[in-house]
Amino acid sequence: VRPRIVTLLSDFGTADAYAGLMKGVVLSICPEARVVDLSHEVPPQNVTAGALLLRSTVRFFPPGTIHVAVVDPGVGGERKPILVQAGGATFVGPDNGLLHPAASERGINRIVALTKGEYHLPRVSRTFHGRDIFAPVAGHLARGVAAEDFGPVLSEMKTLPLATASRDANGVVGEVVHVDRFGNRPFRA
Amino acid sequence: VRPRIVTLLSDFGTADAYAGLMKGVVLSICPEARVVDLSHEVPPQNVTAGALLLRSTVRFFPPGTIHVAVVDPGVGGERKPILVQAGGATFVGPDNGLLHPAASERGINRIVALTKGEYHLPRVSRTFHGRDIFAPVAGHLARGVAAEDFGPVLSEMKTLPLATASRDANGVVGEVVHVDRFGNRPFRA
Amino acid sequence: VRPRIVTLLSDFGTADAYAGLMKGVVLSICPEARVVDLSHEVPPQNVTAGALLLRSTVRFFPPGTIHVAVVDPGVGGERKPILVQAGGATFVGPDNGLLHPAASERGINRIVALTKGEYHLPRVSRTFHGRDIFAPVAGHLARGVAAEDFGPVLSEMKTLPLATASRDANGVVGEVVHVDRFGNRPFRA
């Protein structure tokens, strides 16, 4: 069995240890997991920016990769923690639209609510589900726990309204959602 | 034998290659080690900030983890390079208080001065013990060298005065030692 | 066979996912590779800064390490994608001088033009050879493909004019090419 890759995407930055300790949680449960940072520099609580970054990246990882994404302004509220299986990848994070563009592009196979407490840390806070729910679920997935074991299957997940572009007589009309450090606009409408 | 995890914490930033080359040193000695960044964005030479970050993180890593921490304004001076075994974890770094809050919280089992030159790089600089002493010691620990082999056991290590808080008729009085990027004060007094 | 280490150096920053998805490409081809970030904070398109950072770091990695470096203002133009074998290390990147100081310091053994399309991603863009050529070549090298299989051997590579220093009656005259976050000038002339 080849080691499972677990990617991490968040708006945590790297000045705090939030990203680092999520790796500790994953590796405590599955020491063989390969943890890879996508980015922790998503603008704080910007779900759309995180969703686009995730969507643009997933296709370059091998089948079986587990993608944990945490941009979660509604943590502790009513939004559900979920996992989504889509086209060979598994996404883990909040059901706030963050996972939808990446998952729907690959074809959603199964959505599961993360309700089973035995796969979470013993004490779940109201402010850090990345550490307390998403990282341990990723660790258990990496160990081979089946998606259905984490909770009930859901029939739908939250979508994310993304800017669209149109062409008129004067050119292209859309919304700039991201400019990279070289001045490129890879997601330009 | 499962691969040993080596975490790195420093004030080196990531614009220079100091953090990256410490990983090279660890992996040169123990290619199977799993190196994980906690953070390299500790404010330069702020031992207290590094100590609090380390203390808040260690509990999320599995037993046997080796934590290398380098915030070291006194490098090249009289402070000793040490390792500390505490509650299943091993800490490696300067004896300037940086390791004490994390180690004492877990219960200190053994303190060792890193005096044996055969476990350091061949040429030890006066300015970069992270590369020349702490990273190679971590690599040798990951390979299974016993703590006592690195030098003489010490009876004490430097402690760090941390802010405490008190409650009076008007509320809580203390010192803010850290504010995260979301505006939380996880270590607030 | 011990796992091959692949280091990454670039000017991509970490706010975008460019560095993260290069890891996905490497791991898709060679899941056992150990990917290590040197730095992604080279000042944008500053080939000299990247070359000096690479040169200062390589000696701390074990023999057999593959170093991918991407600071590539001429991407999509006439500069060649190359690999260079030098003193037990293999360098992969653009032939714009970036690799030369590190490779020449170790003694250049072989230079190969990366022309064989079967070792690139199926669709090669004009703007991101890091993802489309350099990362997949590193993955195939990590899997054991021989250097000569990637394309024709070249007789020379581009060099980089580096500042030199001289001493006169008034002191030392040179050019400051880098100042680290502690105010040190490790590469000072």
Side-chain angles (χ1 to χ4, degrees), chain C residues 2-72:
Chain C
R2 58 172 53 174
R4 293 290 291 275
I5 297 169
V6 177
T7 78
L8 301 181
L9 173 73
S10 80
D11 60 353
F12 296 157
T14 51
D16 299 294
Y18 301 140
L21 63 80
M22 284 182 64
K23 298 177 200 176
V25 173
V26 172
L27 294 169
S28 292
I29 295 167
C30 182
E32 295 76 25
R34 312 289 299 275
V35 186
V36 174
D37 295 309
L38 293 187
S39 174
H40 298 288
E41 306 297 334
V42 173
Q45 312 205 332
N46 187 331
V47 174
T48 300
L52 291 167
L53 195 152
L54 185 65
R55 185 180 65 174
S56 70
T57 304
V58 167
R59 77 184 66 122
F60 298 102
F61 282 83
T65 298
I66 298 158
H67 298 282
V68 180
V70 192
V71 181
D72 198 9

Side-chain angles (χ1 to χ4, degrees), chain B residues 4-63:
Chain B
R4 293 290 290 274
I5 297 169
V6 176
T7 79
L8 301 181
L9 173 73
S10 79
D11 61 351
F12 297 156
T14 52
D16 298 294
Y18 302 140
L21 62 81
M22 283 182 64
K23 298 177 200 176
V25 173
V26 172
L27 293 168
S28 291
I29 296 167
C30 182
E32 296 75 25
R34 312 289 300 276
V35 186
V36 174
D37 295 310
L38 293 186
S39 174
H40 297 289
E41 305 298 334
V42 173
Q45 311 205 331
N46 187 330
V47 174
T48 300
L52 291 168
L53 195 153
L54 185 65
R55 184 180 66 175
S56 70
T57 304
V58 167
R59 76 185 66 123
F60 297 102
F61 281 82

Side-chain angles (χ1 to χ4, degrees), chain A residues 91-151:
Chain A
F91 300 90
V92 180
D95 184 24
N96 63 5
L98 177 67
L99 309 179
H100 188 264
S104 63
E105 188 178 76
R106 298 175 76 85
I108 295 172
N109 302 117
R110 188 187 277 109
I111 307 164
V112 175
L114 304 174
T115 60
K116 294 282 185 63
E118 67 254 45
Y119 299 117
H120 305 169
L121 289 197
R123 183 170 159 280
V124 173
S125 71
R126 289 185 66 80
T127 57
F128 195 178
H129 286 185
R131 176 191 65 196
D132 301 333
I133 298 178
F134 304 134
V137 164
H140 287 292
L141 281 166
R143 280 183 54 237
V145 174
E148 314 85 83
D149 290 350
F150 291 93

Side-chain angles (χ1 to χ4, degrees), chain C residues 128-160:
Chain C
F128 195 0
H129 286 184
R131 177 191 64 197
D132 302 331
I133 299 178
F134 304 133
V137 164
H140 287 291
L141 281 166
R143 280 183 56 236
V145 174
E148 315 84 84
D149 290 350
F150 291 92
V153 171
L154 301 176
S155 57
E156 57 182 11
M157 64 184 292
K158 194 166 184 311
T159 60
L160 193 70

Side-chain angles (χ1 to χ4, degrees), chain B residues 79-84 91-93 95 110-117 119-120 133-134 137 146-157:
Chain B
R79 69 99 190 92
K80 295 184 179 72
I82 58 171
L83 72 78
V84 186
F91 300 89
V92 181
D95 185 24
R110 188 186 277 110
I111 307 164
V112 175
L114 304 173
T115 59
K116 294 281 185 62
Y119 298 117
H120 305 169
I133 299 178
F134 304 134
V137 164
E148 314 86 83
D149 290 349
F150 292 92
V153 171
L154 301 177
S155 58
E156 57 181 12
M157 65 185 291

